[in-house]
Amino acid sequence: MGKKYLLNVKNLNISWRLDKASVPIVCGVDFSLEPGKVLGLVGESGCGKSVTALSLMRILPKELKIEDGEILFNGHNGGKTVDIAKLKPKGEDIQKIRGGRISMIFQEPMSSFSPLHTIGNQIIEVIEIHKKTARGEAEEITINLLKKAGIADARDAVKRYPFEFSGGMLQRAMIAKALSCNPSLLIADEPTTALDVTIQAQILNLMRDLQREFGTSIIFISHDLGVVGQMADEVAIMYMGKIVERGPTKNIFKTPKHPYTIKLLDAIPRLGNLEDRRRLEPIRGTVPGLFNRPPGCIFHDRCDSYMSGICDSAFPDLREMSENHFVACYLYEKGEMDQ
């Protein structure tokens, strides 16, 4: 019997529409997510992680358009599968899913709350719309959520405005808001980027605890492999709008296959004995611009294992190296590296 997926993204293509051109942003992305699991989406800034996440809720900027692909979501209306890519961005169907069945934690919590309304009102409104509850009941749910999110004196906190909260408290409130309707899927778009290290650790522990309690599936987006290693069951590595490697987190960290993944891991500082320490190895070159996408494998111009006439011919297909561990690299097709 095959696996049951909450989310199955197939051949997702998103482009940036200009006056006389269409620039690819996300190119043929495929990934899936099982109920109750955490998927880490990793890559350098500008690789398409956030655009992919926004497409799952159909909140892309108007200049970006889904050109092709399917976003099959199985957590709607008692397990009914719906293709989100085919829903109208402002239609009634996606509005029922957005915020109710799929929620999102954004990078900057200050921009996620209106400065004109109290924290409580903004969470209560979400509950009233999606759960059809009375005002008093929605307020009690909000207070309990803020308590679970680690906000002291939650009954007083619901009456306060965003500017009265610190960055860490705002992020906790954002998590409470995202979980207010017990969504099937939570998208966390670099939720700890704007926080200091101590608060970052608290937020990650909070998300893990709440994820276990609510059984919510999470797509955790980050450029920090160390953070993803703590959170995710599976990891997908993105580069210039494509997934170059994906698989179980343990496999990705212990036996990375793609040269890009290997370089990312080499750039992570390690603690240990002095003899185990080594100089960090940056990835040579820079990420090409959107208008200068290289032919073939999009990483070939920065890769130490580049093979002329092969790597610059066409983008390689994802190949299964071991159970559920896929990599898109000609080195394995040609037998140039250990498998």
Side-chain angles (χ1 to χ4, degrees), residues 106-114:
F106 296 92
Q107 291 185 34
E108 180 48 67
M110 184 61 78
S111 62
S112 303
F113 285 100
S114 166

Side-chain angles (χ1 to χ4, degrees), residues 13-82:
N13 289 271
I14 301 172
S15 65
W16 177 22
R17 292 293 185 90
L18 301 175
D19 290 339
K20 297 182 180 180
S22 181
V23 181
I25 303 294
V26 172
C27 312
V29 162
D30 294 274
F31 64 84
S32 55
L33 180 62
E34 296 178 54
K37 297 292 184 180
V38 180
L39 171 69
L41 203 54
V42 181
E44 294 174 87
S45 297
C47 71
K49 307 184 299 296
S50 295
V51 170
T52 300
L54 293 175
S55 71
L56 303 182
M57 297 180 69
R58 298 307 307 273
I59 52 175
L60 288 169
K62 62 180 181 180
E63 61 269 17
L64 298 182
K65 182 181 179 182
I66 297 176
E67 300 285 1
D68 193 16
E70 298 177 315
I71 304 172
L72 303 178
F73 180 59
N74 300 312
H76 186 49
N77 288 342
K80 178 183 177 182
T81 300
V82 59

Side-chain angles (χ1 to χ4, degrees), residues 116-289:
L116 303 178
H117 302 88
T118 63
I119 292 291
N121 277 335
Q122 295 181 66
I123 300 176
I124 289 169
E125 182 182 27
V126 175
I127 298 172
E128 287 179 323
I129 291 174
H130 290 285
K131 286 193 169 184
K132 310 296 184 184
T133 58
R135 179 78 179 186
E137 183 182 353
E139 184 173 352
E140 288 302 315
I141 293 173
T142 298
I143 292 169
N144 288 331
L145 283 168
L146 290 175
K147 286 180 181 177
K148 288 182 179 180
I151 293 180
D153 196 6
R155 194 167 294 278
D156 177 66
V158 296
K159 303 172 185 176
R160 295 161 67 184
Y161 289 85
F163 69 85
E164 298 179 87
F165 277 38
S166 66
M169 289 177 66
L170 272 177
Q171 197 62 287
R172 292 172 187 273
M174 186 73 232
I175 292 172
K177 183 179 180 182
L179 293 173
S180 59
C181 294
N182 194 17
S184 303
L185 174 61
L186 175 65
I187 302 169
D189 188 5
E190 302 197 33
T192 59
T193 298
L195 307 175
D196 62 56
V197 176
T198 304
I199 302 301
Q200 180 183 98
Q202 294 175 6
I203 294 298
L204 291 176
N205 288 332
L206 171 64
M207 289 186 65
R208 278 198 297 268
D209 293 342
L210 292 177
Q211 190 262 340
R212 294 190 189 103
E213 179 179 347
F214 288 93
T216 306
S217 298
I218 297 177
I219 295 178
F220 192 92
I221 300 170
S222 179
H223 60 272
D224 189 334
L225 272 169
V227 171
V228 170
Q230 300 177 49
M231 291 292 299
D233 299 298
E234 295 187 356
V235 177
I237 308 294
M238 285 191 75
Y239 185 76
M240 286 199 72
K242 286 183 174 289
I243 289 180
V244 297
E245 184 170 3
R246 59 181 170 89
T249 303
K250 290 182 179 179
N251 290 14
I252 296 292
F253 276 76
K254 288 185 178 181
T255 57
K257 297 296 184 182
H258 198 280
Y260 179 56
T261 309
I262 294 170
K263 287 292 186 181
L264 286 178
L265 290 169
D266 284 342
I268 297 177
R270 288 175 172 81
L271 298 176
N273 298 326
L274 287 175
E275 56 269 20
D276 295 331
R277 297 180 185 177
R278 54 183 174 76
R279 184 179 294 275
L280 298 181
E281 299 180 17
I283 303 175
R284 65 180 177 87
T286 57
V287 180

